[in-house]
Amino acid sequence: MAHRNEEEGSIGTSMHGVTAKEHVFSFSDQGEDAWSSHSVQSDDPTAMFAFPVDSEHKAKVFKPLSFAKPHMRAFHLGWISFFTCFISTFAAAPLVPIIRDNLDLTKTDIGNAGVASVSGAIFSRLAMGAVCDLLGARYGTAFLLMLSAPAVFSMSFVADAGGYLSVRFMIGFCLATFVSCSYWTSVMFTGKIIGLVNGCAGGWGDMGGGVTQLLMPMVFHIIKVAGATPFTAWRIAFFIPGFLQVIMGILVLTLGQDFPDGNLSTLQKKGDVSKDKLTKVFWYALRNYRTYVLFILYGFSMGIEMTINNVISEYFFDRFQLELHTAGMIAASFGMANFFARPIGGFASDVSARFFGMRGRLWTLWILQTSGGLFCVWLGRATSLPIAILAMMLFSFGVQAACGAIFGIVPFVSRRSLGIISGLTGAGGNFGSGLTQLPFFSSSRFHTADGLSLMGITAMIFTLLVAFIHFPQWGSMFLGPTSDNRTSKEEHYYVAEWTEEEKLQGLHEGSLKFAENSRSERGKKAAPDGTSTPLENENPANV
Amino acid sequence: MCTLHLIKHKSQSKAYSSSSHKPFFHIQIQESMAIKKLLFASLLICSMIQSSHGATKERLFTDLEKGALEITATPSRTGEGVVLAAGIDKLSITWKVSSTATKEPEFKTIKVKLCYAPISQVDRPWRKTENELFKDKSCPHKISSFSYDPTVKTAQSFDYTLERDIPTGTYYVRAYAVDAKDHEVAFGQSTNADKTTNLFSVQAISGRHKSLDIASVCFSVFSVVALLVFFVNEKRKAKIEQSK
């Protein structure tokens, strides 16, 4: 009996597990219940995998230290590709003190190039979900890696501000590996653990922005010692991220696998899957006001993080008269905090949801992001090096944990359009980064220190928008759930995304199941043994 | 405020000043009048060092004696709109102590530096001119540094080839006279007080190399071709499998 697999392959739902507890059933018959078994068993005893798998052959356990194919291998290839792209995108930042002398750049030039470096990914992240559906995760990732590697190599040609900006813009497209990495883990890991898996992949990938601040000055220094003059040495240094990208691209293609059962081109699954209409999925995403709120919010957590990746090394170099590699080390610790900060943010969101439901998640997000903004203001005000470093570390934790916390909320905003909303939220991060770099760090109007403080204040103001995220069934920061009997059911919210004709065809079944499981977002008020109220069908003529 | 500590600390050098030592004294507690004398003496020394430490932090450019050194810098190529090439062209620098110099007995070392003209500082806050000497970033490039010989009264000159890491910009030359404590006491520059005359332009090396360009193209082509090869290969294999 073939399982109707509505998850896999349908455009728009490909992003269905971009972190946090997304209780998505990966198979339609309700007989299997992964939660009731205490020991994790494989649901398909004929499958010969290293880990227990469900009926779709998605792994049910997550063992970070393993490289077993295909699941853990996909995880590692995915996050390392994302990590490599972060290295390339922000590779110029710690070398700016040398580059600005070589290319005769002004502060405006440097700022504009920083904006350009994050802008390309706004569009590539939006398109990436569909690309992965068409080509598979391997080729999606490899295309990004191997087609942006020439842009990295072409830093050796750059002779002026215009060239510098164009090259940074083209390199920036590869940040869409965030999407391809999440897609790949979503098809390899089951819904129950996808939150943790994506939190780790996202956090460890983001670390690349920190590692590059250490790596590039070190490589530059070694090349200089080997005899090259500074204005040549930085160009040679860019070959390292370029090589890394090409190597990762080849590894992904040779060692990786699109799906647990094989590669896209050898599988014949596309034939019997009903795809959701892309236009409809987009429409429901755009109609939901929460999409825009999340877009802005992520812009002031991930966006700020990317902005800091671009400016912080130069800031420490100039303000505190440090050596290039010392400034790089300090800047690196900002990005490296991602290793634990982002997963902790997601975890904090989950823990608060256990007690207070969705309202807890919203408060957690607000607290983390506002404290991030506050410490950013402090960083700008700090005049001594130890205080500046302390402020920066607290700031990095707040802002990165907020990133993890946002993706604790994203999966609940929509079930039908989850993929698009996740992609839009990711794009919002890049948009926010461009938005903060342009006024605060691209002109001589503000000292960089003042720019940091102003950015922190702006972040705190926009974070107040969290209060506007209201779910009728769960409430918001300041309001409780509605008392109306009909609209206060999770089913009403999620099924509202389907038209009557679609409901007649039973296309909304997945949403119904999701709604049932999302009752955990009521917090302690949800029935403790997990039993649910009988499913209500809005349409009596049910399938 | 000077602080006396009973514990001995290792003094640490700070980034901005070479002679910044907060004095920490190791004191053995003994009943003796000598201790009181020692305390008083150390307090005195402490405050003196403090004042010089403070003076180091606040040494201002405006405190220096202007025009104590007369210095001219003649580029190897002159003319209207001539731009010197870094790594190739030279400056011929001639200097002597002005007859009006009052602090001349303090001069120990002469440091000659290449400084940015105002036009090269626009929209570039990392080259800003500041009055506090330790903060000033307008003269970052060292040309030469040599000890001052008070017996030689005539003008001396030397040649300087523009280094290969000099950025593109407009410059002038400034010489600082430094005393035995490594503090600047006087200066002279090759331009006027407004920094408008006798400026010269330098064009930096591009840093590009033919070999680098070729390597870059080769690796880029490899990257794209490798991807296409994998892609086409897999499509072919899939077709073969389907036709079986």
Side-chain angles (χ1 to χ4, degrees):
Chain A
M1 177 160 81
H3 288 295
R4 169 138 276 234
N5 183 1
E6 66 176 328
E7 312 306 315
E8 206 170 337
S10 17
I11 289 186
T13 57
S14 59
M15 287 299 304
H16 74 259
V18 185
T19 207
K21 296 286 184 263
E22 207 248 344
H23 304 283
V24 175
F25 278 97
S26 46
F27 37 90
S28 45
D29 78 79
Q30 295 188 8
E32 310 279 347
D33 185 353
W35 298 295
S36 58
S37 60
H38 288 287
S39 64
V40 185
Q41 295 167 341
S42 204
D43 301 328
D44 182 354
T46 64
M48 302 293 290
F49 291 110
F51 294 138
V53 294
D54 64 19
S55 66
E56 269 187 301
H57 298 170
K58 295 188 188 185
K60 289 164 84 165
V61 294
F62 173 56
K63 294 214 170 99
L65 295 176
S66 152
F67 281 86
K69 67 185 289 188
H71 309 98
M72 287 315 303
R73 212 175 266 197
F75 169 76
H76 287 297
L77 288 170
W79 82 259
I80 296 179
S81 306
F82 182 38
F83 176 83
T84 307
C85 288
F86 247 89
I87 290 185
S88 306
T89 306
F90 296 105
L95 296 179
V96 160
I98 310 294
I99 302 177
R100 68 191 180 194
D101 278 345
N102 189 187
L103 306 178
D104 200 24
L105 303 176
T106 61
K107 185 169 181 186
T108 314
D109 294 330
I110 297 172
N112 288 341
V115 174
S117 68
V118 295
S119 309
I122 295 176
F123 310 102
S124 60
R125 280 185 173 190
L126 287 176
M128 204 55 205
V131 169
C132 284
D133 281 327
L134 286 169
L135 298 176
R138 279 163 66 236
Y139 276 105
T141 311
F143 262 90
L144 283 171
L145 285 168
M146 295 173 92
L147 291 183
S148 58
V152 180
F153 289 123
S154 61
M155 267 296 190
S156 58
F157 292 108
V158 164
D160 58 15
Y164 177 62
L165 187 138
S166 324
V167 169
R168 285 206 76 182
F169 177 69
M170 290 196 290
I171 297 177
F173 279 100
C174 70
L175 281 183
T177 36
F178 170 64
V179 175
S180 67
C181 173
S182 305
Y183 179 99
W184 209 356
T185 52
S186 303
V187 302
M188 287 287 179
F189 293 89
T190 193
K192 212 174 165 228
I193 51 169
I194 194 62
L196 180 64
V197 174
N198 274 327
C200 288
W204 298 353
D206 288 346
M207 263 201 319
V211 165
T212 196
Q213 318 271 359
L214 266 178
L215 179 72
M216 296 304 285
M218 205 174 59
V219 169
F220 170 72
H221 184 74
I222 292 174
I223 296 174
K224 245 193 345 166
V225 162
T229 128
F231 290 175
T232 306
W234 75 266
R235 296 167 189 274
I236 302 176
F238 263 84
F239 276 71
I240 302 298
F243 289 150
L244 285 175
Q245 278 191 226
V246 174
I247 292 171
M248 274 318 295
I250 294 177
L251 285 178
V252 161
L253 291 174
T254 50
L255 296 179
Q257 204 173 294
D258 288 320
F259 296 109
D261 293 324
N263 286 322
L264 186 63
S265 50
T266 53
L267 292 176
Q268 288 170 356
K269 288 202 165 188
K270 276 171 131 179
D272 45 22
V273 174
S274 70
K275 292 194 215 285
D276 203 349
K277 282 219 188 79
L278 182 63
T279 44
K280 285 238 138 154
V281 169
F282 232 126
W283 170 242
Y284 282 110
L286 295 178
R287 231 178 55 148
N288 195 335
Y289 78 94
R290 299 170 193 85
T291 308
Y292 303 101
V293 177
L294 287 172
F295 182 87
I296 295 174
L297 286 173
Y298 201 53
F300 283 97
S301 51
M302 188 66 202
I304 292 195
E305 191 187 323
M306 288 200 267
T307 296
I308 293 287
N309 278 336
N310 261 334
V311 308
I312 197 75
S313 187
E314 197 189 352
Y315 175 70
F316 274 100
F317 180 85
D318 287 333
R319 172 120 160 158
F320 298 103
Q321 281 93 50
L322 302 173
E323 296 284 333
L324 199 70
H325 53 264
T326 315
M329 254 192 283
I330 297 174
S333 40
F334 175 85
M336 306 270 257
N338 259 306
F339 183 74
F340 52 85
R342 188 169 172 137
I344 286 180
F347 182 69
S349 182
D350 291 342
V351 165
S352 61
R354 251 185 263 160
F355 295 102
F356 305 107
M358 176 55 70
R359 297 182 76 180
R361 288 191 193 271
L362 293 168
W363 273 101
T364 305
L365 171 61
W366 183 83
I367 290 169
L368 288 170
Q369 198 157 318
T370 304
S371 46
L374 199 64
F375 290 121
C376 185
V377 176
W378 192 23
L379 173 63
R381 300 285 96 231
T383 46
S384 82
L385 187 61
I387 303 279
I389 295 178
L390 176 67
M392 188 195 73
M393 291 314 298
L394 292 169
F395 163 48
S396 77
F397 182 81
V399 114
Q400 287 159 11
C403 289
I406 283 197
F407 275 93
I409 297 171
V410 164
F412 296 100
V413 169
S414 160
R415 170 61 185 77
R416 187 172 186 183
S417 311
L418 174 58
I420 296 283
I421 292 182
S422 304
L424 274 168
T425 307
N430 286 71
F431 179 75
S433 182
L435 195 69
T436 46
Q437 284 182 79
L438 205 48
F440 299 132
F441 301 103
S442 302
S443 69
S444 290
R445 204 189 324 155
F446 304 116
H447 291 293
T448 310
D450 294 333
L452 285 169
S453 299
L454 287 169
M455 184 170 74
I457 293 172
T458 315
M460 286 197 283
I461 293 174
F462 277 99
T463 307
L464 293 170
L465 286 172
V466 179
F468 289 96
I469 299 183
H470 178 81
F471 291 92
Q473 67 274 31
W474 300 315
S476 61
M477 274 172 77
F478 297 108
L479 300 167
T482 65
S483 43
D484 182 80
N485 215 8
R486 200 175 58 96
T487 49
S488 67
K489 293 265 179 334
E490 286 82 356
E491 282 78 7
H492 175 86
Y493 179 81
Y494 291 109
V495 164
E497 293 177 322
W498 302 90
T499 62
E500 294 303 319
E501 306 88 63
E502 288 163 340
K503 284 188 227 172
L504 278 170
Q505 294 171 48
L507 295 172
H508 66 308
E509 295 275 297
S511 291
L512 280 176
K513 282 186 216 126
F514 179 73
E516 186 190 339
N517 290 297
S518 69
R519 248 183 277 283
S520 59
E521 295 307 306
R522 289 194 187 180
K524 284 223 164 109
K525 292 195 217 106
D529 58 353
T531 55
S532 54
T533 55
L535 287 178
E536 277 184 37
N537 261 320
E538 303 278 323
N539 192 339
N542 84 36
V543 185
Chain B
M1 286 299 286
C2 177
T3 48
L4 282 177
H5 288 259
L6 296 177
I7 316 146
K8 194 171 180 186
H9 286 271
K10 259 213 175 108
S11 57
Q12 295 161 339
S13 60
K14 298 209 167 88
Y16 53 84
S17 174
S18 52
S19 59
S20 60
H21 293 288
K22 277 219 156 56
F24 297 104
F25 299 93
H26 177 77
I27 298 180
Q28 304 263 11
I29 307 297
Q30 292 167 15
E31 286 87 25
S32 166
M33 276 296 291
I35 287 295
K36 287 202 185 123
K37 283 185 192 158
L38 193 62
L39 274 170
F40 177 73
S42 52
L43 197 67
L44 207 59
I45 296 167
C46 187
S47 54
M48 285 196 325
I49 294 176
Q50 263 301 336
S51 57
S52 69
H53 175 92
T56 309
K57 280 192 96 160
E58 290 150 17
R59 282 183 303 127
L60 300 174
F61 180 70
T62 39
D63 293 342
L64 301 183
E65 190 184 0
K66 298 188 220 324
L69 299 165
E70 286 165 9
I71 183 164
T72 53
T74 317
S76 53
R77 292 184 298 131
T78 48
E80 194 64 43
V82 159
V83 177
L84 305 171
I88 301 175
D89 285 321
K90 295 196 195 7
L91 293 175
S92 178
I93 298 172
T94 311
W95 68 276
K96 77 176 191 22
V97 179
S98 161
S99 44
T100 57
T102 51
K103 292 195 187 166
E104 196 257 346
E106 295 175 45
F107 293 4
K108 258 278 174 292
T109 325
I110 308 291
K111 290 186 182 171
V112 188
K113 294 193 177 173
L114 198 61
C115 305
Y116 293 110
I119 193 172
S120 285
Q121 293 173 302
V122 170
D123 205 9
R124 293 178 175 86
W126 57 90
R127 294 179 181 172
K128 206 156 162 234
T129 305
E130 299 270 1
N131 203 10
E132 283 141 309
L133 282 169
F134 81 98
K135 268 194 190 171
D136 181 44
K137 299 196 201 134
S138 58
C139 298
H141 304 287
K142 287 199 181 55
I143 292 178
S144 181
S145 175
F146 41 84
S147 46
Y148 172 65
D149 185 358
T151 57
V152 179
K153 296 291 179 195
T154 53
Q156 299 164 65
S157 59
F158 60 93
D159 277 346
Y160 164 70
T161 310
L162 292 161
E163 300 269 345
R164 299 181 77 215
D165 63 352
I166 303 287
T168 302
T170 309
Y171 297 86
Y172 61 93
V173 174
R174 180 183 286 172
Y176 286 107
V178 178
D179 69 8
K181 284 182 280 168
D182 207 29
H183 294 169
E184 292 88 349
V185 290
F187 77 96
Q189 58 194 30
S190 65
T191 181
N192 60 2
D194 290 331
K195 301 177 208 163
T196 49
T197 58
N198 292 331
L199 304 171
F200 51 92
S201 294
V202 178
Q203 175 67 40
I205 62 165
S206 75
R208 291 179 55 185
H209 275 279
K210 249 218 169 68
S211 51
L212 260 187
D213 294 346
I214 294 173
S216 167
V217 169
C218 284
F219 287 119
S220 305
V221 166
F222 170 74
S223 180
V224 177
V225 166
L227 179 68
L228 287 175
V229 163
F230 272 101
F231 194 66
V232 165
N233 234 11
E234 254 187 65
K235 283 261 179 283
R236 235 176 1 107
K237 279 203 206 132
K239 275 212 183 92
I240 292 171
E241 276 205 32
Q242 269 195 24
S243 62
K244 277 191 189 156

